[in-house]
Amino acid sequence: RAKDEGKNNYRIYDDTLNVDAEEKIYIKNSLRRALDNDEFDIYYQPQVEIKSREIIGLEALIRWNHPKRGPIPPSVFIPIAEECGLIEPIGEWVLRTVCKQSRAWQDAGADPIRVAVNLSARQFKQRGKLTEMIKTILAETGLDPAYLELEITENLAMQDENAETLQELRNLQITISIDDFGTHYSSLSYLKRLPIDKIKIDRSFVGGISKEPKDEAIIQAILLLASHLGLTIIAEGVETKDQLAFLQHNHCHDIQGYLYYPPQKADSIPRILSNHSPEYELAAEKG
Ligand code: C2E
Ligand code: MG
Ligand code: MG
Ligand code: MG
């Protein structure tokens, strides 16, 4: 795409857009340089306990500001990074950046808070290596593992060969959560076999609240399942007061979504943590 290197090639990537083969190669090549060029950043989205409105955690979300194309969403570049073997160095950068940042907030006097990092299945592939890498980063940064959470998908949890690594991570006192729960092809039996702490209800179900009775039924079933299994549960993608009311009525504990906070720059987090008042944020958000 040499001719696209001019200045009018800023484009908006749509999550649902299928990136064509040529574009993929372009992204692949840019990804190789992105770490060295410092093009990645981490945003943090607060997770809120419904009852107390307190922030009980943060999810770290990677951002890529491409020098020519502008922001490219993770839904576009993460799958490509997974395909070409770049997710390992990127994933390691994310973990190190988050642990360092989390420790820095604590050192600056903030109340310690757990931060969740998304993991790709590929990061589990080299046996033992992931655990070693995380141990090294924890030692390096001095972060207490109790303040680290790892988000994995059902697919990853389902694979027997990942059980040992998950147990190792859990033994370190790291929290393990299942992301996008209910959207993958999987059996539920891993929930009894594996050391899972937390389930995240996918936002596709949350989006159906007040619109699609089947989505509501699925959410109610997931909430019951989690409560009987003693799992912590959080709903993702909560955007409206109606959704919040439904979740609260059905005894969901925690939520994450634009209603309270969109993902935030690291700089904003200490102020938000000391404020404890989502309403205050409502006006300032979406900027
Ligand atoms: P996810 O882990 O399920 O993250 C939640 C996504 O929902 C984020 O999208 C977040 O910005 C978005 N979101 C939060 N609240 C709302 C809401 O109220 N409404 C709507 N419509 N969306 C909301 P984002 O940041 O674009 O990330 C997309 C996916 O990319 C993530 O989904 C995760 O699977 C992956 N990802 C992000 N960062 C990383 C990373 O560091 N490593 C890996 N391996 N994957 C990552
Ligand atoms: Mg996630
Ligand atoms: Mg995910
Ligand atoms: Mg999710």
Side-chain angles (χ1 to χ4, degrees):
R1 288 224 166 180
K3 69 171 191 292
D4 279 0
E5 303 278 329
K7 58 177 177 152
N8 283 328
N9 49 23
Y10 185 97
R11 55 188 283 178
I12 305 292
Y13 287 86
D14 177 344
D15 289 16
T16 57
L17 173 97
N18 251 328
V19 179
D20 65 38
E22 203 188 346
E23 186 59 22
K24 225 168 162 174
I25 292 169
Y26 179 79
I27 291 178
K28 228 175 250 189
N29 289 331
S30 318
L31 266 179
R32 287 184 217 290
R33 292 185 299 264
L35 264 182
D36 286 338
N37 290 351
D38 207 22
E39 289 164 16
F40 293 118
D41 197 4
I42 307 280
Y43 273 51
Y44 296 86
Q45 186 174 31
Q47 303 177 330
V48 178
E49 185 182 54
I50 295 178
K51 241 186 220 143
S52 65
R53 306 233 162 155
E54 300 232 347
I55 297 173
I56 46 89
L58 302 167
E59 179 176 7
L61 296 159
I62 193 169
R63 294 289 174 264
W64 181 20
N65 195 16
H66 189 285
K68 301 226 165 61
R69 300 288 171 88
I72 300 180
S75 55
V76 170
F77 75 82
I78 292 285
I80 298 175
E82 283 169 347
E83 224 177 83
C84 64
L86 284 168
I87 196 64
E88 287 90 345
I90 293 173
E92 181 169 351
W93 177 85
V94 172
L95 274 160
R96 182 168 280 110
T97 305
V98 168
C99 291
K100 230 191 260 174
Q101 179 64 79
S102 181
R103 182 56 208 252
W105 285 326
Q106 291 181 22
D107 288 346
D111 284 343
I113 191 157
R114 188 156 53 217
V115 187
V117 171
N118 291 281
L119 287 188
S120 288
R122 274 207 51 158
Q123 294 177 268
F124 274 75
K125 280 289 169 307
Q126 304 139 294
R127 293 186 138 216
K129 228 187 138 191
L130 180 68
T131 315
E132 281 317 306
M133 186 247 281
I134 291 176
K135 273 192 195 162
T136 305
I137 291 174
L138 289 169
E140 224 176 78
T141 57
L143 182 73
D144 180 343
Y147 297 115
L148 181 61
E149 174 174 330
L150 298 173
E151 297 192 2
I152 62 171
T153 62
E154 293 166 280
N155 292 347
L156 194 159
M158 279 275 291
Q159 293 166 20
D160 286 334
E161 65 265 30
N162 293 331
E164 197 183 321
T165 307
L166 280 174
Q167 190 60 59
E168 285 169 6
L169 295 167
R170 190 64 193 81
N171 291 347
L172 295 174
Q173 312 302 321
I174 294 170
T175 300
I176 310 288
S177 61
I178 303 293
D179 204 353
D180 309 333
F181 186 80
T183 59
H184 290 98
Y185 177 79
S186 75
S187 88
L188 292 174
S189 62
Y190 72 87
L191 289 175
K192 68 176 187 194
R193 277 187 287 115
L194 297 176
I196 307 296
D197 302 289
K198 178 169 170 179
I199 281 176
K200 303 190 75 178
I201 301 179
D202 191 67
R203 71 176 143 98
S204 59
F205 302 123
V206 174
I209 292 172
S210 308
K211 286 188 258 176
E212 177 49 73
K214 286 179 181 168
D215 284 326
E216 295 185 348
I218 290 169
I219 291 172
Q220 286 167 322
I222 296 175
L223 284 165
L224 263 182
L225 177 75
S227 112
H228 287 301
L229 288 172
L231 298 167
T232 305
I233 190 132
I234 182 164
E236 291 192 275
V238 179
E239 295 181 350
T240 69
K241 293 236 162 83
D242 281 357
Q243 291 166 355
L244 174 62
F246 176 87
L247 290 162
Q248 181 161 27
H249 181 74
N250 287 282
H251 313 292
C252 180
H253 282 239
D254 305 328
I255 61 160
Q256 182 182 338
Y258 298 161
L259 177 65
Y260 282 157
Y261 302 99
Q264 311 277 330
K265 276 181 194 290
D267 295 357
S268 315
I269 292 297
R271 182 184 53 82
I272 289 172
L273 288 182
S274 59
N275 252 328
H276 285 297
S277 169
E279 271 88 355
Y280 172 84
E281 297 301 323
L282 282 171
E285 94 190 6
K286 308 221 158 118

